[in-house]
Amino acid sequence: QDNAIAFIDELVPYFDEVKRVMKDEGSLFVNINDKMEGGQYQMVPELFLIEMVKRGWRYVDKYLWLKPNPQYTPNKGSVRNFEPIFHFVKSEDFFFDREWLKMGEDENNGISIGTINATEPKLVSGLDFRDNILKNNGGNTYELRKKCKEKGFHMEHSATFPLSLPSIFILSTSRPGDTVLDIFSGTSTSGESALLTNRKYVGYELNPQFIMASEVRLREHLDLNEAA
């Protein structure tokens, strides 16, 4: 577990800076998966969670992203078809809204309980992307790859989540006009979700190729907003 501990020790200071700039009513969501070494899991999510709480974060929820296309693991156990997403806040007075759930019907209870003819719908902790309104067989980069190719470069990034996944958390914990921050922006899936839900967006990314892909992804939404 020495490698896992070293990874977490390097990672958590970045979230100290997030905590510094985040509003008291704000929320932080972290998707962090485990790693298999020597035939056993290294408990990366659990060790990360403990360290975050030690640093003053309030741990208020945990979601499981249930995936239709999990990565195959050659160990003797099961193929893990979920990834954890931790919800942290600074204050017990954090903002949380579920009114947006009333705008749609989640007939198979893929993400919620009680959205059909109910006055108090709530999210469930297991966000099911396998066989319901959120069904999605992969990441969200297929159309983006085509657009990048039209711009003259090849985009290599397959480890992406569906667009609707960050949208669930953005709609639940922010208001229109608020700013969404993603310090590991990748190709800006969170940024697209933010702009589509009338939020502002700030993203940080070191990979030049991903930054170029982000510009391709977000440009059309910025142009639409400017036109409006």
Side-chain angles (χ1 to χ4, degrees):
Q1 290 184 341
D2 291 343
N3 291 337
I5 293 172
F7 168 72
I8 291 167
D9 286 344
E10 183 177 350
L11 178 64
V12 289
Y14 291 101
F15 294 109
D16 290 343
E17 291 302 299
V18 172
K19 191 168 185 280
R20 180 179 62 84
V21 301
M22 195 173 80
K23 292 181 178 179
D24 288 341
E25 63 176 13
S27 286
L28 167 67
F29 294 90
V30 181
N31 171 212
I32 184 168
N33 208 359
D34 211 340
K35 183 179 182 181
M36 177 73 70
E37 285 186 3
Q40 62 180 348
Y41 284 109
Q42 300 302 295
M43 299 191 301
V44 173
E46 291 79 7
L47 294 171
F48 171 77
L49 175 59
I50 291 170
E51 185 61 29
M52 289 287 280
V53 173
K54 285 181 178 178
R55 289 172 176 259
W57 287 98
R58 296 173 63 92
Y59 167 47
V60 294
D61 216 338
K62 174 183 178 180
Y63 296 87
L64 294 182
W65 166 21
L66 307 181
K67 307 175 69 174
N69 58 340
Q71 182 176 357
Y72 184 81
T73 49
N75 64 307
K76 293 182 180 180
S78 63
V79 175
R80 184 169 291 193
N81 71 334
F82 66 86
E83 291 187 21
I85 300 174
F86 296 124
H87 182 188
F88 301 101
V89 298
K90 292 172 64 172
S91 165
E92 62 181 342
D93 296 323
F94 67 94
F95 175 74
F96 195 88
D97 177 41
R98 57 193 190 198
E99 288 297 309
W100 67 273
L101 285 167
K102 299 178 183 179
M103 297 186 294
E105 292 187 352
D106 184 13
E107 295 180 357
N108 296 320
N109 292 330
I111 65 166
S112 62
I113 292 293
T115 54
I116 307 290
N117 300 320
T119 58
E120 296 296 331
K122 291 194 71 174
L123 289 171
V124 292
S125 294
L127 301 178
D128 195 343
F129 281 70
R130 296 173 300 177
D131 192 24
N132 50 61
I133 59 169
L134 292 178
K135 185 174 181 181
N136 191 299
N137 289 324
N140 61 78
T141 56
Y142 176 72
E143 289 297 326
L144 180 59
R145 288 175 189 274
K146 291 199 304 183
K147 292 177 182 177
C148 290
K149 186 176 181 179
E150 293 171 1
K151 297 292 184 179
F153 70 97
H154 177 65
M155 194 277 292
E156 297 179 359
H157 190 2
S158 59
T160 59
F161 39 75
L163 185 64
S164 47
L165 185 62
S167 298
I168 291 170
F169 304 127
I170 289 171
L171 289 168
S172 297
T173 59
S174 68
R175 300 178 178 88
D178 284 348
T179 299
V180 174
L181 169 66
D182 189 343
I183 62 171
F184 301 109
S185 186
T187 60
S188 294
T189 304
S190 298
E192 185 173 5
S193 295
L195 295 180
L196 287 171
T197 54
N198 297 315
R199 274 72 171 173
K200 301 172 184 177
Y201 179 67
V202 176
Y204 289 88
E205 177 58 50
L206 295 178
N207 188 309
Q209 184 190 79
F210 296 170
I211 293 173
M212 293 170 63
S214 295
E215 291 177 351
V216 173
R217 182 195 289 275
L218 300 179
R219 175 57 58 188
E220 60 183 277
H221 298 293
L222 293 174
D223 289 343
L224 288 173
N225 289 338
E226 291 170 1

